[in-house]
Amino acid sequence: MVLSPRLVLVVNSGSSSLKFTVLGAEGGAPLVSGVAECLGLAEARIVFKANGAKTIVDLERNDHTGALQAIFARLDADGLLSRVGVVGHRVVHGAERFSESAVITPEILAEIEACSPLAPLHNPANLIGIRAALEALPSVPQVAVFDTAFHQTMPRAAAFYAVPMSWYRDHGVRRYGFHGTSHRYVSAEAVRFLGLPADDHGLVVAHLGNGASATAILNGRSVDTTMGMTPLEGLVMGTRSGDVDVGAVTHVARLTGLDIAAIEKVLNKDSGLLGLSELSNDCRTLEAAADEGHAGAILALEVFVHRLARHIGGLATSLPRLDAIVFTGGIGENSARIRAMTARHLAVFGLVLDESANSTCIGGRIGRISRGPGPAMAVVPTDEEGLIAADAARLTGLVDADETVRRAI
Ligand code: ADP
């Protein structure tokens, strides 16, 4: 039962950009959303999207607080600001401290700050957004939703690297996993859509966007995932390498004299689909180039799919039974070609692609794209903002807990 018609503001604050969405506490389509870009630079601006129309506003004050002030001014003009009952913040790293979302208090802020050494590029930027929102809306409760939280159920066997245990004890080195909000939302939706029992299912969810990760989910809980201590491990991504032999990295460092920061940049920004294709990090561009015979694009797509299928096979071994493989993210929701290539590798599991369903299940449609008695293959659009809003509304009592549990968990 809905208790209040209030709104949730979802904030995703990065180092140079800040995305926001305003949603009803009971879910539904965003009322207004947008992104502030080039923060810290003279050309800082904000793009608002509402009712299919875009407006661009230059920021007078070019930092995160300035961006939030511009967002609040717009919400006020639209008559929405006074209806915002809670702000939900995406926070990248919650380490071992956070296994679920949390209402922000001074103590919680300090704990998020304590997680910053594990995500030095992300958590400080998230904290800037939280502090700016607290300053601007001091009487509105705020909730942190962590990318890592869903994976805190991983068993030790999946969570540990075979390195000296002192690295874990002294520096927190272990596998945490990311994209948890997406994996949690998509797996719950898939269970509902496929009619699987909530307490007896095994899924692999592949979130394929610019960043990409796959997760094994047993009865609603993450039991293994491809990203590790940082989002660099695992699948081939737009510009990230995913798995690579550390010996290869030290070899190149020794030969070239590249320092750690330079190596980190190459593996995060110059690798993946972009590094392999020497053309683009964008799957659409690569598919078009592959059709024209571009050798680099063809190789990039093949390595992407090979790595994905290999990881899906590996993740399945953390499950007693594989009921379904679920695709999401920009590539997973739209690329029938990548899904078909992956399905060919997965024939070993008895998976049979339904070519016609696969080719029509694009553009945000949910659907089953396999046939026969083997594991199902399905496409489920993700909605990270929706789940952040649902957590924020539930934890602050804006909606009835049962309603949110039914909707989003
Ligand atoms: P992010 O991780 O930044 O949120 P998205 O989930 O939006 O990224 O995914 C972006 C990726 O999705 C890009 O590689 C883009 O080319 C790909 N993509 C989007 N639409 C299509 C499509 N129709 N066919 C193939 N790839 C697509």
Side-chain angles (χ1 to χ4, degrees), residues 108-123:
I108 293 288
L109 261 186
E111 291 186 83
I112 295 173
E113 193 138 36
C115 300
S116 287
L118 289 169
L121 297 178
H122 295 104
N123 273 30

Side-chain angles (χ1 to χ4, degrees), residues 8-31:
V8 184
L9 168 63
V10 175
V11 175
N12 181 353
S13 174
S15 53
S16 63
S17 71
L18 185 148
K19 295 185 195 152
F20 81 97
T21 309
V22 177
L23 300 161
E26 306 79 27
L31 298 173

Side-chain angles (χ1 to χ4, degrees), residues 207-211 273 281-285 287 329-331 334-335:
H207 175 110
L208 311 175
N210 276 311
L273 293 174
N281 64 316
D282 190 286
C283 186
R284 254 172 311 196
T285 306
E287 290 190 11
I331 298 173
N334 294 296
S335 177

Side-chain angles (χ1 to χ4, degrees), residues 85-397:
V86 59
V87 183
H89 294 272
R90 175 192 180 211
V91 178
V92 168
H93 219 306
E96 290 179 338
R97 165 62 187 85
F98 294 101
S99 54
E100 50 193 38
S101 305
V103 178
I104 295 173
T105 60
E107 293 73 32
I108 293 288
L109 261 186
E111 291 186 83
I112 295 173
E113 193 138 36
C115 300
S116 287
L118 289 169
L121 297 178
H122 295 104
N123 273 30
N126 303 152
L127 282 162
I128 290 171
I130 295 175
R131 292 205 166 98
L134 285 169
E135 192 185 314
L137 288 181
S139 58
V140 174
Q142 320 235 351
V143 169
V145 180
F146 301 88
D147 277 17
T148 50
F150 183 59
H151 301 296
Q152 278 298 302
T153 48
M154 274 196 294
R156 288 161 61 87
F160 279 82
Y161 293 114
V163 294
M165 279 305 280
S166 58
W167 286 20
Y168 167 65
R169 285 192 299 271
D170 298 344
H171 309 298
V173 173
R174 54 157 281 178
R175 310 186 64 253
Y176 294 96
F178 297 86
H179 285 148
T181 311
S182 179
H183 288 299
R184 181 173 146 225
Y185 174 82
V186 168
S187 56
E189 280 295 298
V191 165
R192 201 170 6 255
F193 174 73
L194 295 168
L196 298 169
D199 57 354
D200 183 23
H201 61 259
L203 307 178
V204 173
V205 173
H207 175 110
L208 311 175
N210 276 311
S213 70
T215 295
I217 292 148
L218 174 63
N219 304 338
R221 293 156 71 90
S222 168
V223 288
D224 197 1
T225 193
T226 56
M227 282 179 170
M229 166 154 166
T230 76
L232 189 53
E233 191 181 342
L235 305 181
V236 174
M237 309 183 212
T239 60
R240 290 190 205 125
S241 62
D243 297 335
V244 60
D245 181 353
V246 180
V249 177
T250 52
H251 173 76
V252 171
R254 211 174 293 119
L255 291 179
T256 60
L258 285 180
D259 64 14
I260 287 172
I263 290 273
E264 216 172 10
K265 179 189 170 276
V266 172
L267 295 176
N268 277 294
K269 305 265 185 216
D270 307 329
S271 298
L273 293 174
L274 174 64
L276 278 163
S277 67
E278 301 188 302
L279 178 68
S280 172
N281 64 316
D282 190 286
C283 186
R284 254 172 311 196
T285 306
L286 295 180
E287 290 190 11
D291 287 339
E292 301 292 314
H294 189 287
I298 293 168
L299 177 68
L301 297 177
E302 284 176 355
V303 175
F304 180 92
V305 167
H306 179 273
R307 179 83 55 81
L308 171 62
R310 182 193 202 195
H311 269 289
I312 291 173
L315 289 167
T317 65
S318 284
L319 302 170
R321 195 180 68 240
L322 181 60
D323 292 312
I325 296 162
V326 187
F327 286 85
T328 195
I331 298 173
E333 292 170 30
N334 294 296
S335 177
R337 178 188 196 132
I338 293 284
R339 297 188 308 234
M341 287 169 72
T342 311
R344 281 198 280 282
H345 281 268
L346 298 173
V348 65
F349 290 106
L351 197 140
V352 182
L353 186 73
D354 180 332
E355 303 273 355
S356 141
N358 185 42
S359 62
T360 54
C361 200
I362 53 175
R365 245 168 260 141
I366 192 166
R368 183 178 173 138
I369 57 168
S370 61
R371 55 189 166 76
M377 206 160 171
V379 177
V380 174
T382 192
D383 184 9
E384 291 166 274
E385 283 83 12
L387 187 47
I388 292 172
D391 273 9
R394 173 176 54 89
L395 286 176
T396 53

